[in-house]
Amino acid sequence: QSVLTQPPSVSAAPGQKVTISCSGISSNIGDNSLSWYQQLPGTAPKLLIYDNNKRPPGIPDRFSGSKSGTSATLGITGLQTGDEAEYYCGTWDISLSAVVFGGGTKLTVL
Amino acid sequence: QVQLQQWGAGLLKPSETLSLTCAVYGGAFSGYYWSWIRQSPGKGLEWIGEINQSGYTNYNPSLKNRITMSVDTSRHQFSLKVNSVTAADTAVYYCARGSNLPSSMRWFDPWGQGTLVTVSS
């Protein structure tokens, strides 16, 4: 079981919006910056969101991040079949003295 | 554009030492925290640890006793060794560039292509 909690799967139709949640506690999400990663099948993870809500260059504004207290959310609008992937959240955990990740959420675009 | 390229042995026997190296191309080497992250088959991500250009290391406490990281600044390379591997160490191992900020603001971009390491007798 992962330190951060994500739903195992979410699904939505092309063009629709989906949100993926990431839940933790004060020692991780509550006090530290959160990042999100997209892992397409057979590839390495790719940074989507950093510092809770910032997008690296080249990431479309269809992807957004937010954080409130000990929870965070990744939002994806205008879903495309190419968005089908596993999505992970990650942050530092003060108590564990380690970076921790969520268990991943598989997005299916129906 | 920074690129990371990694290599190392992909098949090990129990009790052997895992050894991987990652080379950094096209960007600054100093100032960042160079990290290793692994992903067991069908499972999530596990942070192994990080090293900077000065050789400062920060290891995941759950793996600390078996891990050694090193850096070669002249070649822009960093390496990982894991001692006494078991089947539980079977995973895809990734190298990644960690943000040049305090641990509380740690994210990873870019990542290497990954190396599948299988431990089997």
Side-chain angles (χ1 to χ4, degrees):
Chain A
Q1 52 276 32
S2 302
V3 174
L4 305 181
T5 301
Q6 297 181 237
S9 64
V10 296
S11 62
Q16 297 299 305
K17 173 182 178 179
V18 71
T19 59
I20 298 173
S21 61
C22 176
S23 179
I25 59 177
S26 59
S27 65
N28 44 60
I29 294 179
D31 285 341
N32 302 287
S33 293
L34 191 102
S35 52
W36 288 95
Y37 303 87
Q38 177 194 60
Q39 186 174 32
L40 297 169
T43 69
K46 173 185 174 182
L47 180 67
L48 275 184
I49 298 289
Y50 68 97
D51 200 12
N52 305 324
N53 55 18
K54 298 178 175 62
R55 286 186 308 275
I59 301 300
D61 59 7
R62 300 189 299 108
F63 296 90
S64 64
S66 64
K67 190 182 94 167
S68 178
T70 58
S71 295
T73 301
L74 173 69
I76 310 174
T77 60
L79 277 172
Q80 303 172 2
T81 55
D83 295 332
E84 285 202 334
E86 197 84 20
Y87 291 84
Y88 294 92
C89 57
T91 189
W92 179 256
D93 190 299
I94 297 169
S95 297
L96 298 176
S97 295
V99 173
V100 294
F101 293 97
T105 299
K106 181 175 176 57
L107 169 63
T108 300
V109 181
L110 302 169
Chain B
Q1 181 180 353
V2 179
Q3 291 186 326
L4 276 60
Q5 185 172 353
Q6 57 183 103
W7 64 89
L11 181 60
L12 298 172
K13 290 182 168 52
S15 80
E16 292 185 334
T17 297
L18 179 158
S19 182
L20 299 172
T21 298
C22 183
V24 181
Y25 300 102
F29 192 74
S30 296
Y32 293 96
Y33 291 89
W34 302 98
S35 301
W36 292 96
I37 297 161
R38 70 181 183 180
Q39 185 171 34
S40 300
K43 296 191 177 180
L45 302 168
E46 180 180 27
W47 180 75
I48 299 171
E50 63 189 10
I51 187 169
N52 69 5
Q53 79 283 357
S54 300
Y56 163 84
T57 56
N58 189 14
Y59 299 152
N60 189 326
S62 68
L63 298 165
K64 186 175 185 177
N65 291 339
R66 297 193 294 127
I67 291 172
T68 303
M69 293 185 186
S70 59
V71 64
D72 184 340
T73 55
S74 64
R75 296 184 179 187
H76 286 197
Q77 294 178 3
F78 59 105
S79 299
L80 168 71
K81 291 188 186 299
V82 181
N83 299 324
S84 305
V85 297
T86 70
D89 294 308
T90 293
V92 176
Y93 286 74
Y94 295 100
C95 59
R97 185 181 70 175
S99 46
N100 57 347
L101 294 165
S103 301
S104 62
M105 302 181 77
R106 183 71 75 247
W107 49 82
F108 305 101
D109 179 51
W111 296 54
Q113 79 275 21
T115 301
L116 174 60
V117 176
T118 302
V119 181
S120 174
S121 55

